Amino acid sequence: MLDFEIEDSSGNIVSYQFDTGVYLLGKGDQCDVLLNDGHTSRVHAELFVKKNSAQLTDKGSTNGTWFEGARLESSLMLQAGQEISFGDLRLKIKEVPKSEDLDFFGGEDRTNIKSTVIQQSEEIINLKRRVHSMILEYLDLRKRGNLQEMSAHDLRVEAVKATQDIIRERVDKIPEGITKEELQRQVVAEAVGLGALEPLLDDEDVTEVMVNGPDQIYVEKKGRIELAESRFTSVHSLLAVIDRIVSPLGRRIDESSPMVDARLQDGSRVNAIIPPLALNGPTITIRKFSKKKLYMNDLFKYESINKDMAIFLRSCVNNYQNIMISGGTGSGKTTLLNILSNFIGSTERIVTIEDAAELQLNQPHVVSLESRPSNAEGKGKVSIRDLVTNSLRMRPDRIVVGECRGGEALDMLQAMNTGHDGSLSTGHANSPADFLARLEVMVMMAGVDLPSRAIREQISSAVDILVQQNRMADGTRKVTSIMEVVGFDGENILLKSIYEFNKKGIDSNGKIMGYFSATGYVPNFYRELSSQGQEMDLSIFEDAEVDIDGLDQAWS
């Protein structure tokens, strides 16, 4: 256990305790230790805590990491009593793991670390392969010509009958570690279903599934990645599962087109990539679609937002503010977009545009559009940009784009600037300022020759509210800032912070501690509506630490 504290120039002290692992220090939201000082970098330094030692490494910070009056040029092995400086902050080491004679450059040997997950024996795997091949032969002989015409349900019924017959007639002994019923379920799933993916997709605690070849499947549970027990019997069966996913959508995957984006029937997002691009074998990544519709109450429960922020965002949607949600992969952008979309009025015509349809809106007047890749001849592609352009001819009251990635950003901005107020979208970025810079690049990708100044003017006049959603180091998702775009000063887009998430440290369980607070700034549209006589609750902008409160049934 590494035990240390950080003291600022005012004498405030925050204590930390870390078990083995790698931890980032800096003022960026992705960091485990917040260095709230103007002389620190977004990612300033790195702590590597091992079983018997700990070391600190500067990550190329601008103003450096200082120890005993000298700038740290290499990694520092930590000892109790040491004091390290980051700007005006002082890090004091109280206790370090007991050091032994470990090779400094080699570190810990992780090649022999065993997974706690018990994999199936080779005897079971070989039996599954044998039964699987017999099922395919059995079905081909008895149902030749009819397999392609069967529904998925009828095909599974036939596969169950075939498996029961084969296990009864041709399998002499069931190995220890699996029952006859479980063997039957697994083989049928691999023959006509999604194979080893089925139990993982049925597990409500699993939010993401990552298949790295037939023998290795990882899952994300409650923000943590762990190795699953499931595995495929062969590369062939894994490829068959991928084909069963993409074929109903009119998409293909082969050596000439080895990457594909698709979705499952429940809306879960799927990406697949196969050899020769994937060296570990066919690889699948599935972002599971929540079977339960999420509401603002759920964000309270997960401590992703507080009530004042929720009231403000609902007001933004109700008052036709153009909202952009930025964040990293897996940060919860689409979930938040879906929740905010449900605040749109029931009488409005909403057009949603996505690569893979995920949004679940409750309103009655919703038109859902989904992009399409090119066919085998390289024709027929319909991009997000094509759909955004077409949506303007569909008389929408609101346009909701699942994610802006390229030239469609220009069309989205033009829509926001030409009467389609209240539009919503998401994009990848680590901060609101980074998102604006990336949005400028995306507009340039449209191929229109516009100077940077003109693009920034378009952005500043189109986008009203920026919401930053981050996945934290402990696996939780939080709205870390809400900002208003207040104008353009001739060179830069001006932002004003409305709400922020403030880190306080990490508890003994590795959970990030912190609180949401208002900055005290009241957005322009709130002031305008208030001056026009509308009753607006300005108390939600009071500068105070606001911890997560309980659920409020008014949000469901």
Side-chain angles (χ1 to χ4, degrees):
M1 177 77 71
L2 175 66
D3 188 355
F4 64 94
E5 61 185 27
I6 294 180
E7 181 178 359
D8 64 19
S9 57
S10 301
N12 299 313
I13 296 176
V14 180
S15 298
Y16 296 86
Q17 288 185 331
F18 286 138
D19 286 320
T20 54
V22 179
Y23 306 93
L24 297 178
L25 295 79
K27 60 183 178 184
D29 290 324
Q30 70 270 42
C31 293
D32 305 286
V33 177
L34 181 64
L35 301 180
N36 192 10
D37 184 89
H39 296 91
T40 57
S41 299
R42 182 170 293 278
V43 177
H44 195 100
E46 176 185 273
L47 275 173
F48 184 16
V49 184
K50 296 183 280 188
K51 184 178 180 181
N52 300 302
S53 64
Q55 66 189 53
L56 178 76
T57 305
D58 187 89
K59 299 293 287 183
S61 62
T62 303
N63 294 302
T65 301
W66 296 77
F67 174 63
E68 294 184 345
R71 183 164 180 158
L72 198 63
E73 299 295 341
S74 60
S75 295
L76 174 67
M77 295 298 293
L78 300 179
Q79 297 178 12
Q82 288 176 332
E83 186 173 304
I84 297 107
S85 300
F86 313 97
D88 291 330
L89 302 177
R90 301 288 180 269
L91 185 152
K92 300 176 182 179
I93 305 297
K94 299 174 68 178
E95 183 181 344
V96 296
K98 291 184 179 179
S99 179
E100 296 180 358
D101 292 332
L102 293 175
D103 179 8
F104 175 78
F105 293 102
E108 290 181 290
D109 181 7
R110 302 189 61 83
T111 58
N112 294 320
I113 294 178
K114 302 296 183 183
S115 168
T116 57
V117 176
I118 301 174
Q119 294 279 335
Q120 289 182 335
S121 68
E122 286 301 320
E123 185 181 7
I124 295 176
I125 295 297
N126 290 332
L127 175 60
K128 285 167 59 179
R129 286 174 181 160
R130 188 159 60 91
V131 175
H132 180 262
S133 62
M134 287 189 287
I135 287 175
L136 297 180
E137 181 183 357
Y138 183 101
L139 291 174
D140 190 48
L141 289 173
R142 300 196 176 212
K143 300 289 179 179
R144 188 184 301 275
N146 295 327
L147 293 178
Q148 299 299 325
E149 299 174 5
M150 286 185 181
S151 67
H153 173 73
D154 292 340
L155 187 58
R156 186 173 283 264
V157 169
E158 289 296 331
V160 169
K161 291 178 182 177
T163 307
Q164 290 172 338
D165 291 344
I166 289 169
I167 291 177
R168 183 177 60 252
E169 298 171 6
R170 304 193 199 181
V171 177
D172 299 325
K173 178 185 176 183
I174 304 294
E176 291 185 7
I178 193 169
T179 63
K180 182 165 66 174
E181 291 75 17
E182 182 61 18
L183 174 64
Q184 174 184 306
R185 187 198 66 76
Q186 291 185 18
V187 172
V188 169
E190 200 155 308
V192 297
L194 298 182
L197 300 178
E198 288 191 357
L200 305 178
L201 295 174
D202 291 337
D203 188 342
E204 292 185 0
D205 290 333
V206 173
T207 55
E208 199 141 1
V209 181
M210 294 150 277
V211 181
N212 305 331
D215 298 322
Q216 191 181 72
I217 303 177
Y218 283 90
V219 296
E220 181 186 65
K221 280 189 175 184
K222 299 178 180 178
R224 302 292 182 184
I225 294 177
E226 59 186 55
L227 184 65
E229 297 180 24
S230 305
R231 59 192 283 195
F232 287 88
T233 57
S234 66
V235 170
H236 176 75
S237 63
L238 175 52
L239 286 171
V241 165
I242 295 175
D243 188 61
R244 282 195 285 274
I245 291 173
V246 303
S247 293
L249 301 175
R251 305 187 181 187
R252 66 189 181 94
I253 186 166
D254 51 38
E255 284 195 9
S256 62
S257 180
M259 295 184 294
V260 68
D261 287 314
R263 58 181 167 83
L264 301 179
Q265 288 185 343
D266 66 355
S268 296
R269 190 189 308 172
V270 181
N271 174 269
I273 181 168
I274 64 173
L277 300 186
L279 303 183
N280 294 341
T283 301
I284 310 175
T285 307
I286 301 176
R287 177 79 53 79
K288 280 182 62 178
F289 186 77
S290 176
K291 295 177 182 177
K292 174 194 170 189
K293 286 189 177 181
L294 296 178
Y295 298 92
M296 197 61 79
N297 269 346
D298 297 291
L299 297 190
F300 296 156
K301 182 172 66 176
Y302 298 135
E303 300 184 356
S304 298
I305 198 171
N306 74 8
K307 187 175 177 181
D308 286 349
M309 297 162 73
I311 291 171
F312 173 69
L313 290 176
R314 181 172 62 181
S315 295
C316 291
V317 176
N318 291 341
N319 290 285
Y320 295 89
Q321 298 295 291
N322 292 320
I323 303 172
M324 303 295 282
I325 303 168
S326 66
T329 301
S331 60
K333 300 185 300 296
T334 304
T335 298
L336 181 59
L337 178 67
N338 208 126
I339 290 171
L340 295 184
S341 298
N342 285 315
F343 291 139
I344 298 173
S346 60
T347 60
E348 298 184 66
R349 176 175 170 84
I350 308 165
V351 178
T352 68
I353 301 169
E354 300 173 85
D355 264 331
E358 291 182 275
L359 296 174
Q360 286 182 305
L361 272 63
N362 295 322
Q363 294 86 340
H365 199 167
V366 178
V367 179
S368 299
L369 305 179
E370 186 178 58
S371 65
R372 184 180 69 188
S374 55
N375 59 18
E377 290 76 35
K379 299 179 180 178
K381 179 179 179 179
V382 180
S383 67
I384 291 287
R385 187 176 185 190
D386 296 329
L387 294 177
V388 172
T389 302
N390 189 78
S391 71
L392 301 178
R393 306 186 185 104
M394 298 173 67
R395 201 260 173 221
D397 291 309
R398 308 263 193 158
I399 300 173
V400 180
V401 178
E403 182 178 341
C404 281
R405 293 194 185 119
E408 66 272 6
L410 175 61
D411 303 282
M412 187 72 179
L413 292 176
Q414 289 177 337
M416 290 175 171
N417 272 322
T418 54
H420 297 89
D421 292 331
S423 297
L424 300 96
S425 187
T426 74
H428 280 81
N430 292 323
S431 70
D434 290 344
F435 176 74
L436 291 178
R438 190 162 184 269
L439 192 57
E440 185 177 341
V441 173
M442 286 190 281
V443 171
M444 293 177 181
M445 293 169 65
V448 179
D449 189 14
L450 288 173
S452 292
R453 179 188 173 90
I455 295 174
R456 291 174 188 172
E457 286 179 342
Q458 280 266 359
I459 294 172
S460 65
S461 60
V463 180
D464 298 309
I465 301 295
L466 290 176
V467 181
Q468 181 66 31
Q469 174 109 357
N470 281 9
R471 176 176 170 170
M472 314 302 281
D474 61 358
T476 60
R477 281 98 170 161
K478 296 187 186 298
V479 175
T480 54
S481 71
I482 300 176
M483 307 187 86
E484 183 183 36
V485 179
V486 295
F488 185 69
D489 68 355
E491 289 295 333
N492 300 307
I493 300 170
L494 302 177
L495 300 175
K496 282 284 190 179
S497 179
I498 306 169
Y499 293 99
E500 296 175 346
F501 175 72
N502 304 278
K503 287 184 183 178
K504 292 170 65 177
I506 299 177
D507 65 17
S508 57
N509 297 318
K511 184 179 179 182
I512 290 176
M513 299 182 295
Y515 60 92
F516 298 107
S517 68
T519 63
Y521 171 74
V522 180
N524 287 323
F525 83 93
Y526 245 74
R527 279 179 271 153
E528 290 174 5
L529 292 172
S530 181
S531 66
Q532 293 167 9
Q534 289 198 38
E535 189 173 332
M536 308 297 290
D537 183 8
L538 301 181
S539 67
I540 62 174
F541 304 111
E542 292 177 0
D543 186 9
E545 294 187 11
V546 183
D547 291 315
I548 306 298
D549 49 19
L551 303 184
D552 185 339
Q553 294 303 318
W555 293 102
S556 30

